[in-house]
Every structure is written in structure tokens, then in C-alpha cells.
């Protein structure tokens, strides 16, 4: 399983994107931020609410020079069928990666062996390919795309401003900190 600051290996996967099925490689996205959102399965209940919220915020992720990828164990053909039949999924413009063998799920530690599906999980990868954030939880409740966007903004800020850190619930434009010994015990 990958851990924070591990280099994410290159992967190739089929993806439904736009109106096509394409082969995508992570290495083609080096130099950009990548956000992976793993979910259990297509044609389910909570998943379309999350993927729709991400679709609504996708332009903001793109503005931050990030590419979003959704990932499930379904094939790219199933992604297309879902896209063609669901008003929520029809909004998606980001690549929907297919992981029918579970290779990506296993590498990222989201695979539920007994069920053959993925946990709900999000990963932020920096332009050098280093894993910067992980969020993983039970499949019975959805994640917040708004919070994932905020985490990307914070990760991007500290990446671009070496030596600075972002306090809890930091939002762009708010004060950041430069950790020093003088600050110890004074916050």
C-alpha cells in the first residue's frame, strides 16, 4: 500500500472520457496535480452523488492544474453505459478509470477482498508524482468534493511556498505559518 510521500508508480488503465474509451498512463500527467477518487461500483446509490459533486467542481480542479480521475472495479464499457443512462453521471468530464482486475485498488490499499469492490477513498498526488493526501472511509457515506478541493489548494500552497504550513481549515488567502522554535507553545 502506498503511503504519504511515496512516489506513485506509473499505471496504465482504460478510461471512459468524453465519449471515448482511451488508454491512459499516469506518467502522461506528470507535472500536473492528480486527484484520484475511488468508489465501490457504478449503478449504485451514494457514488453518483459524489461523482456529480466532483463534476460540478471539476472546472475549479482544472484551474489548479489538476486532473481528476474516478476509479472503480467496473470496465470502461460499464462506465459508458452508466454515463449514457444517469443524469448525474452524464455531467462528468473527467476520466473514469476502469480497474476490473483490482490492480489500482490493491496498490492504493482500497480493495475489499470479501466484496471485490473498493473502499471510498481519495488521493492527491503532486506534480512530481508524490502522494500528498489520503482520505479513506466506509462505503456507507460519501465524501465532500469541496473539502477535497480545499485539501488540494492547501497542498498546492505548501508545495509552491516552501517552509510554509497551513493551519486547520485553511482557505486560500488566509494566513499561513512558518514553523519556528519561537512558535512552540504560543499557539
Amino acid at each position: 500500500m502506498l503511503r504519504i510521500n511515496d512516489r506513485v508508480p506509473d499505471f496504465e488503465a482504460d478510461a471512459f472520457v468524453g465519449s471515448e474509451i482511451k488508454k491512459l498512463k499516469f506518467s502522461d500527467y506528470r507535472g500536473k496535480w492528480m486527484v484520484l477518487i475511488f468508489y465501490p461500483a457504478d449503478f449504485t446509490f451514494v457514488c453518483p452523488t459524489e461523482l456529480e459533486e466532483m463534476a460540478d467542481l471539476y472546472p475549479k480542479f482544472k484551474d489548479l492544474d489538476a486532473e481528476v480521475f474516478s476509479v472503480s472495479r467496473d470496465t470502461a464499457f460499464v462506465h459508458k453505459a452508466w454515463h449514457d443512462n444517469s443524469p448525474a453521471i452524464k455531467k462528468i468530464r473527467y476520466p473514469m478509470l476502469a480497474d476490473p482486475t483490482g490492480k489500482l485498488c490493491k496498490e492504493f490499499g482500497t480493495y475489499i477482498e470479501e466484496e471485490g469492490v473498493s473502499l471510498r477513498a481519495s488521493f492527491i498526488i503532486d506534480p512530481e508524482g508524490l502522494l500528498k493526501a489520503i482520505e479513506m472511509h466506509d462505503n456507507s457515506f460519501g465524501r465532500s468534493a469541496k473539502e477535497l478541493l480545499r485539501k488540494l489548494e492547501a497542498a498546492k500552497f505548501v508545495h509552491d511556498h516552501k517552509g510554509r504550513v497551513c493551519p486547520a481549515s485553511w482557505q486560500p488567502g488566509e494566513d499561513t505559518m512558518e514553523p519556528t522554535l519561537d512558535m512552540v507553545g504560543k499557539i
Side-chain angles (χ1 to χ4, degrees), residues 27-89:
S27 58
D28 293 339
Y29 295 89
R30 293 287 193 244
K32 294 183 72 97
W33 288 86
M34 293 188 285
V35 177
L36 278 69
I37 52 174
F38 287 75
Y39 63 97
D42 292 359
F43 293 98
T44 55
F45 314 101
V46 176
C47 301
T49 66
E50 292 184 309
L51 299 183
E52 180 180 28
E53 184 179 62
M54 184 58 78
D56 292 342
L57 290 176
Y58 184 53
K60 292 185 179 193
F61 282 86
K62 294 294 279 183
D63 287 346
L64 293 169
D65 199 29
E67 185 56 75
V68 173
F69 304 87
S70 62
V71 184
S72 79
R73 295 281 322 283
D74 301 284
T75 67
F77 300 109
V78 176
H79 291 333
K80 181 192 182 319
W82 196 26
H83 185 272
D84 291 349
N85 287 287
S86 167
I89 302 307

Coordinates of all heavy atoms in Angstrom, one line a residue, residues 27-89:
S27 N 2.0 8.5 -16.1 CA 3.1 9.3 -16.5 C 2.8 10.4 -17.5 O 3.5 11.4 -17.5 CB 4.2 8.3 -17.1 OG 3.7 7.6 -18.2
D28 N 1.7 10.3 -18.2 CA 1.3 11.3 -19.1 C 0.8 12.6 -18.4 O 0.7 13.6 -19.0 CB 0.2 10.9 -20.0 CG 0.6 9.8 -21.0 OD1 1.8 9.7 -21.3 OD2 -0.2 9.0 -21.5
Y29 N 0.6 12.4 -17.1 CA 0.1 13.5 -16.2 C 1.2 14.1 -15.3 O 0.8 15.0 -14.5 CB -1.2 13.1 -15.5 CG -2.3 12.8 -16.4 CD1 -2.4 11.5 -16.9 CD2 -3.2 13.8 -16.8 CE1 -3.5 11.2 -17.8 CE2 -4.2 13.5 -17.7 CZ -4.3 12.2 -18.2 OH -5.3 12.0 -19.1
R30 N 2.4 13.6 -15.3 CA 3.5 14.1 -14.5 C 3.6 15.6 -14.8 O 3.4 16.0 -16.0 CB 4.8 13.4 -14.7 CG 4.8 12.0 -14.3 CD 4.9 11.8 -12.8 NE 5.2 10.5 -12.4 CZ 4.4 9.7 -11.7 NH1 3.2 10.1 -11.3 NH2 4.7 8.5 -11.4
G31 N 3.8 16.4 -13.8 CA 3.9 17.8 -14.0 C 2.6 18.5 -13.6 O 2.5 19.7 -13.6
K32 N 1.5 17.7 -13.4 CA 0.2 18.2 -13.0 C -0.1 17.5 -11.7 O 0.4 16.5 -11.3 CB -0.9 17.8 -14.0 CG -0.8 18.4 -15.4 CD -1.9 17.9 -16.3 CE -3.2 18.5 -15.9 NZ -3.6 19.7 -16.6
W33 N -1.0 18.2 -11.0 CA -1.6 17.5 -9.8 C -2.6 16.5 -10.2 O -3.2 16.7 -11.3 CB -2.3 18.6 -8.9 CG -1.3 19.5 -8.2 CD1 -0.7 20.6 -8.7 CD2 -0.8 19.3 -6.9 NE1 0.1 21.2 -7.8 CE2 0.1 20.4 -6.7 CE3 -0.9 18.4 -5.9 CZ2 0.8 20.5 -5.5 CZ3 -0.2 18.5 -4.7 CH2 0.6 19.6 -4.5
M34 N -2.7 15.4 -9.5 CA -3.7 14.4 -9.8 C -4.5 14.1 -8.6 O -4.0 14.0 -7.5 CB -3.0 13.1 -10.3 CG -2.3 13.2 -11.6 SD -1.7 11.6 -12.3 CE -0.3 11.4 -11.2
V35 N -5.8 14.0 -8.8 CA -6.7 13.6 -7.7 C -7.5 12.4 -8.1 O -8.1 12.3 -9.2 CB -7.7 14.8 -7.5 CG1 -8.7 14.4 -6.4 CG2 -7.0 16.1 -7.1
L36 N -7.3 11.3 -7.4 CA -8.0 10.0 -7.6 C -9.1 9.8 -6.6 O -8.8 10.0 -5.4 CB -7.0 8.8 -7.5 CG -6.1 8.6 -8.8 CD1 -5.1 9.7 -9.0 CD2 -5.4 7.3 -8.6
I37 N -10.3 9.5 -7.1 CA -11.4 9.3 -6.2 C -11.9 7.8 -6.5 O -12.5 7.6 -7.6 CB -12.5 10.3 -6.4 CG1 -12.9 10.5 -7.8 CG2 -12.1 11.6 -5.8 CD1 -14.1 11.5 -8.0
F38 N -11.6 7.0 -5.6 CA -12.0 5.6 -5.7 C -13.4 5.4 -5.1 O -13.7 6.1 -4.1 CB -11.1 4.7 -4.9 CG -9.7 4.5 -5.5 CD1 -8.8 5.5 -5.5 CD2 -9.4 3.3 -6.1 CE1 -7.5 5.3 -6.1 CE2 -8.2 3.1 -6.7 CZ -7.2 4.1 -6.7
Y39 N -14.3 4.6 -5.7 CA -15.6 4.4 -5.2 C -16.0 2.9 -5.5 O -15.3 2.3 -6.3 CB -16.6 5.3 -5.8 CG -16.7 5.2 -7.3 CD1 -17.8 4.5 -7.9 CD2 -15.8 5.8 -8.2 CE1 -17.9 4.3 -9.3 CE2 -15.9 5.7 -9.6 CZ -17.0 4.9 -10.1 OH -17.1 4.8 -11.5
P40 N -17.0 2.4 -4.8 CA -17.3 0.9 -4.9 C -17.7 0.4 -6.3 O -17.1 -0.5 -6.7 CB -18.4 0.7 -3.9 CG -18.3 1.9 -2.9 CD -17.8 3.0 -3.7
A41 N -18.7 1.1 -6.9 CA -19.2 0.5 -8.1 C -20.2 1.5 -8.8 O -20.8 2.3 -8.2 CB -20.0 -0.8 -7.8
D42 N -20.3 1.3 -10.1 CA -21.2 2.0 -10.9 C -22.6 1.5 -10.6 O -22.8 0.4 -10.1 CB -20.9 1.8 -12.4 CG -19.6 2.5 -12.9 OD1 -18.9 3.1 -12.1 OD2 -19.3 2.3 -14.1
F43 N -23.6 2.3 -11.0 CA -25.0 2.0 -10.9 C -25.4 1.7 -9.4 O -26.1 0.8 -9.1 CB -25.4 0.8 -11.7 CG -25.4 1.1 -13.2 CD1 -24.3 0.7 -14.0 CD2 -26.4 1.7 -13.8 CE1 -24.2 1.0 -15.3 CE2 -26.4 2.0 -15.2 CZ -25.3 1.6 -15.9
T44 N -24.8 2.5 -8.5 CA -25.1 2.4 -7.1 C -25.8 3.7 -6.6 O -26.4 4.4 -7.4 CB -23.8 2.1 -6.3 OG1 -22.9 3.1 -6.6 CG2 -23.2 0.7 -6.7
F45 N -25.7 3.9 -5.3 CA -26.6 4.9 -4.7 C -25.8 6.2 -4.2 O -26.1 7.3 -4.7 CB -27.3 4.3 -3.5 CG -27.9 3.0 -3.8 CD1 -27.3 1.8 -3.5 CD2 -29.0 2.9 -4.6 CE1 -27.8 0.6 -3.9 CE2 -29.6 1.7 -5.0 CZ -28.9 0.5 -4.6
V46 N -24.8 6.0 -3.4 CA -24.0 7.1 -2.9 C -23.1 7.6 -3.9 O -22.8 8.8 -4.1 CB -23.3 6.8 -1.6 CG1 -22.4 7.9 -1.1 CG2 -24.2 6.4 -0.5
C47 N -22.5 6.7 -4.7 CA -21.4 7.0 -5.7 C -21.9 8.1 -6.7 O -21.1 9.1 -6.9 CB -21.0 5.8 -6.4 SG -20.3 4.5 -5.3
P48 N -23.1 8.1 -7.3 CA -23.4 9.1 -8.2 C -23.5 10.5 -7.6 O -23.2 11.5 -8.2 CB -24.7 8.7 -8.8 CG -25.3 7.6 -7.9 CD -24.1 7.0 -7.2
T49 N -23.8 10.6 -6.3 CA -23.9 11.9 -5.6 C -22.5 12.5 -5.5 O -22.3 13.7 -5.7 CB -24.6 11.8 -4.3 OG1 -23.8 11.0 -3.4 CG2 -26.0 11.2 -4.4
E50 N -21.5 11.6 -5.2 CA -20.2 12.1 -5.1 C -19.6 12.5 -6.4 O -18.9 13.5 -6.6 CB -19.3 11.0 -4.5 CG -19.5 10.6 -3.1 CD -18.5 9.6 -2.7 OE1 -18.3 8.6 -3.4 OE2 -17.9 9.8 -1.6
L51 N -19.8 11.6 -7.4 CA -19.2 11.9 -8.7 C -19.8 13.1 -9.4 O -19.2 13.9 -10.1 CB -19.3 10.7 -9.6 CG -18.6 9.4 -9.1 CD1 -18.7 8.3 -10.1 CD2 -17.1 9.7 -8.8
E52 N -21.1 13.3 -9.1 CA -21.8 14.5 -9.6 C -21.2 15.8 -9.0 O -21.0 16.8 -9.7 CB -23.3 14.4 -9.4 CG -24.0 15.7 -10.0 CD -25.5 15.6 -9.7 OE1 -26.0 14.9 -8.8 OE2 -26.2 16.2 -10.6
E53 N -21.0 15.7 -7.7 CA -20.5 16.9 -7.0 C -19.1 17.2 -7.5 O -18.7 18.4 -7.7 CB -20.4 16.7 -5.5 CG -19.9 17.9 -4.7 CD -19.9 17.6 -3.2 OE1 -19.2 16.8 -2.7 OE2 -20.6 18.4 -2.5
M54 N -18.3 16.1 -7.8 CA -17.0 16.3 -8.3 C -17.1 16.9 -9.7 O -16.3 17.8 -10.1 CB -16.2 15.0 -8.3 CG -14.8 15.1 -8.8 SD -13.8 16.3 -7.9 CE -13.4 15.3 -6.5
A55 N -18.0 16.5 -10.5 CA -18.2 17.0 -11.9 C -18.6 18.5 -11.8 O -18.1 19.3 -12.6 CB -19.3 16.2 -12.6
D56 N -19.4 18.9 -10.8 CA -19.7 20.3 -10.7 C -18.5 21.2 -10.3 O -18.4 22.3 -10.8 CB -20.8 20.5 -9.6 CG -22.2 19.9 -10.1 OD1 -22.4 19.7 -11.3 OD2 -23.0 19.7 -9.2
L57 N -17.6 20.6 -9.5 CA -16.4 21.3 -9.1 C -15.2 21.1 -10.1 O -14.1 21.7 -9.8 CB -16.0 21.0 -7.7 CG -17.0 21.4 -6.6 CD1 -16.6 20.9 -5.2 CD2 -17.0 23.0 -6.6
Y58 N -15.3 20.2 -11.0 CA -14.2 19.9 -11.9 C -13.5 21.1 -12.5 O -12.3 21.2 -12.5 CB -14.7 18.9 -13.0 CG -13.6 18.4 -13.9 CD1 -12.5 17.8 -13.5 CD2 -13.8 18.5 -15.3 CE1 -11.5 17.3 -14.3 CE2 -12.8 18.0 -16.2 CZ -11.7 17.4 -15.7 OH -10.7 17.0 -16.5
P59 N -14.2 22.1 -13.0 CA -13.5 23.3 -13.5 C -12.6 24.0 -12.5 O -11.5 24.5 -12.8 CB -14.6 24.3 -13.9 CG -15.8 23.4 -14.2 CD -15.7 22.3 -13.2
K60 N -12.9 23.9 -11.2 CA -12.1 24.5 -10.2 C -10.8 23.7 -10.0 O -9.7 24.2 -9.7 CB -12.8 24.7 -8.9 CG -13.9 25.7 -8.9 CD -14.6 26.0 -7.6 CE -15.6 27.1 -7.8 NZ -16.1 27.6 -6.6
F61 N -10.9 22.4 -10.1 CA -9.8 21.5 -10.0 C -8.9 21.8 -11.2 O -7.6 21.9 -11.1 CB -10.2 20.0 -10.0 CG -10.7 19.6 -8.6 CD1 -12.0 19.7 -8.2 CD2 -9.8 19.0 -7.7 CE1 -12.4 19.3 -7.0 CE2 -10.2 18.5 -6.5 CZ -11.5 18.7 -6.1
K62 N -9.4 21.9 -12.4 CA -8.7 22.2 -13.6 C -7.9 23.5 -13.5 O -6.8 23.7 -13.9 CB -9.6 22.2 -14.8 CG -10.2 20.9 -15.2 CD -9.2 19.8 -15.6 CE -8.8 20.0 -17.1 NZ -7.9 19.0 -17.5
D63 N -8.6 24.5 -12.9 CA -8.0 25.8 -12.7 C -6.7 25.7 -11.8 O -5.8 26.6 -11.8 CB -8.9 26.8 -12.0 CG -10.0 27.3 -13.0 OD1 -9.9 27.1 -14.2 OD2 -11.0 27.9 -12.5
L64 N -6.7 24.7 -10.9 CA -5.5 24.5 -10.1 C -4.5 23.5 -10.7 O -3.6 23.0 -10.1 CB -5.9 23.9 -8.7 CG -6.8 24.8 -7.9 CD1 -7.4 24.1 -6.7 CD2 -5.9 26.0 -7.4
D65 N -4.6 23.3 -12.1 CA -3.7 22.5 -12.8 C -3.7 21.0 -12.3 O -2.7 20.4 -12.2 CB -2.3 23.0 -12.8 CG -1.4 22.4 -14.0 OD1 -2.0 22.1 -15.0 OD2 -0.2 22.3 -13.8
A66 N -4.9 20.6 -12.0 CA -5.1 19.2 -11.5 C -6.0 18.4 -12.5 O -7.0 19.0 -13.0 CB -5.7 19.2 -10.1
E67 N -5.8 17.2 -12.6 CA -6.7 16.3 -13.3 C -7.3 15.4 -12.3 O -6.6 14.9 -11.4 CB -5.9 15.5 -14.4 CG -6.8 14.6 -15.2 CD -8.0 15.4 -15.9 OE1 -7.7 16.1 -16.9 OE2 -9.1 15.3 -15.4
V68 N -8.6 15.2 -12.4 CA -9.4 14.3 -11.6 C -9.6 13.0 -12.3 O -9.8 13.0 -13.5 CB -10.7 14.9 -11.2 CG1 -11.6 14.0 -10.4 CG2 -10.5 16.2 -10.4
F69 N -9.5 11.9 -11.6 CA -9.8 10.5 -12.1 C -10.7 9.8 -11.1 O -10.4 9.7 -9.9 CB -8.5 9.7 -12.3 CG -7.4 10.3 -13.1 CD1 -6.5 11.2 -12.5 CD2 -7.3 10.0 -14.4 CE1 -5.5 11.7 -13.2 CE2 -6.3 10.6 -15.2 CZ -5.4 11.4 -14.6
S70 N -11.8 9.3 -11.6 CA -12.6 8.4 -10.7 C -12.1 7.0 -11.0 O -11.7 6.7 -12.1 CB -14.1 8.6 -11.0 OG -14.4 8.2 -12.3
V71 N -12.2 6.1 -10.0 CA -11.7 4.7 -10.2 C -12.7 3.8 -9.5 O -13.0 4.0 -8.4 CB -10.3 4.5 -9.5 CG1 -9.8 3.1 -9.8 CG2 -9.3 5.6 -10.0
S72 N -13.1 2.8 -10.3 CA -13.9 1.7 -9.7 C -13.5 0.4 -10.4 O -12.8 0.4 -11.4 CB -15.4 1.9 -9.8 OG -15.8 1.6 -11.1
R73 N -14.0 -0.7 -9.9 CA -13.6 -2.0 -10.5 C -14.4 -2.3 -11.8 O -14.2 -3.3 -12.5 CB -14.0 -3.1 -9.5 CG -13.2 -3.1 -8.2 CD -11.8 -3.7 -8.3 NE -11.7 -4.9 -9.2 CZ -12.1 -6.1 -8.9 NH1 -12.6 -6.4 -7.7 NH2 -12.0 -7.1 -9.8
D74 N -15.3 -1.4 -12.2 CA -16.1 -1.6 -13.4 C -15.2 -1.4 -14.6 O -14.1 -0.8 -14.6 CB -17.2 -0.6 -13.4 CG -18.1 -0.7 -12.2 OD1 -18.9 -1.7 -12.2 OD2 -18.0 0.1 -11.3
T75 N -15.6 -2.0 -15.8 CA -14.9 -1.8 -17.0 C -15.3 -0.4 -17.6 O -16.3 0.2 -17.2 CB -15.3 -2.8 -18.0 OG1 -16.7 -2.7 -18.4 CG2 -15.1 -4.3 -17.5
A76 N -14.5 0.0 -18.5 CA -14.8 1.3 -19.2 C -16.1 1.2 -20.0 O -16.8 2.3 -20.1 CB -13.7 1.7 -20.2
F77 N -16.5 0.1 -20.4 CA -17.8 -0.1 -21.1 C -19.0 0.1 -20.1 O -20.0 0.7 -20.4 CB -17.9 -1.5 -21.7 CG -16.9 -1.7 -22.7 CD1 -15.9 -2.6 -22.5 CD2 -16.9 -1.1 -24.0 CE1 -14.9 -2.9 -23.4 CE2 -15.9 -1.3 -24.9 CZ -14.9 -2.2 -24.6
V78 N -18.8 -0.3 -18.9 CA -19.8 -0.1 -17.8 C -19.9 1.4 -17.5 O -21.0 1.9 -17.3 CB -19.6 -1.0 -16.6 CG1 -20.6 -0.7 -15.5 CG2 -19.7 -2.5 -17.0
H79 N -18.7 2.0 -17.4 CA -18.7 3.5 -17.2 C -19.5 4.2 -18.3 O -20.3 5.1 -18.0 CB -17.3 4.0 -17.2 CG -16.4 3.6 -16.0 ND1 -16.9 3.3 -14.8 CD2 -15.1 3.5 -15.9 CE1 -15.9 3.0 -14.0 NE2 -14.8 3.1 -14.6
K80 N -19.3 3.8 -19.5 CA -20.0 4.4 -20.6 C -21.5 4.2 -20.5 O -22.3 5.1 -20.7 CB -19.6 3.9 -22.0 CG -20.3 4.6 -23.1 CD -20.1 3.9 -24.5 CE -20.8 4.6 -25.6 NZ -22.1 5.1 -25.4
A81 N -21.9 3.0 -20.2 CA -23.4 2.7 -20.0 C -24.0 3.5 -18.9 O -25.1 4.1 -19.0 CB -23.6 1.2 -19.8
W82 N -23.3 3.7 -17.8 CA -23.7 4.5 -16.7 C -23.8 5.9 -17.1 O -24.8 6.6 -16.8 CB -22.8 4.3 -15.5 CG -23.3 4.7 -14.2 CD1 -24.6 4.8 -13.8 CD2 -22.5 5.1 -13.0 NE1 -24.7 5.2 -12.5 CE2 -23.4 5.4 -12.0 CE3 -21.2 5.2 -12.8 CZ2 -23.0 5.8 -10.7 CZ3 -20.7 5.6 -11.6 CH2 -21.7 5.9 -10.5
H83 N -22.8 6.4 -17.8 CA -22.8 7.8 -18.3 C -23.9 8.1 -19.2 O -24.6 9.1 -19.1 CB -21.4 8.0 -19.0 CG -21.2 9.4 -19.4 ND1 -21.7 9.9 -20.6 CD2 -20.6 10.5 -18.8 CE1 -21.3 11.2 -20.8 NE2 -20.7 11.6 -19.7
D84 N -24.3 7.1 -20.0 CA -25.4 7.3 -21.0 C -26.7 7.2 -20.4 O -27.7 7.7 -21.0 CB -25.3 6.2 -22.1 CG -24.1 6.4 -23.0 OD1 -23.4 7.5 -22.9 OD2 -23.8 5.5 -23.8
N85 N -26.8 6.7 -19.2 CA -28.2 6.5 -18.5 C -28.4 7.3 -17.3 O -29.6 7.3 -16.9 CB -28.3 5.0 -18.2 CG -28.6 4.2 -19.5 OD1 -29.6 4.2 -20.1 ND2 -27.5 3.4 -19.9
S86 N -27.4 7.9 -16.7 CA -27.6 8.6 -15.4 C -27.5 10.1 -15.6 O -26.4 10.5 -16.1 CB -26.6 8.1 -14.4 OG -26.6 9.0 -13.3
P87 N -28.5 10.9 -15.3 CA -28.3 12.4 -15.4 C -27.1 12.9 -14.6 O -26.4 13.8 -15.1 CB -29.6 12.9 -14.9 CG -30.6 11.8 -15.0 CD -29.8 10.6 -14.9
A88 N -26.9 12.3 -13.4 CA -25.8 12.8 -12.6 C -24.4 12.5 -13.3 O -23.5 13.3 -13.3 CB -25.9 12.1 -11.2
I89 N -24.3 11.3 -13.8 CA -23.0 10.8 -14.3 C -22.8 11.5 -15.7 O -21.6 11.7 -16.1 CB -23.0 9.3 -14.4 CG1 -23.1 8.7 -13.0 CG2 -21.7 8.8 -15.0 CD1 -22.2 9.3 -11.9

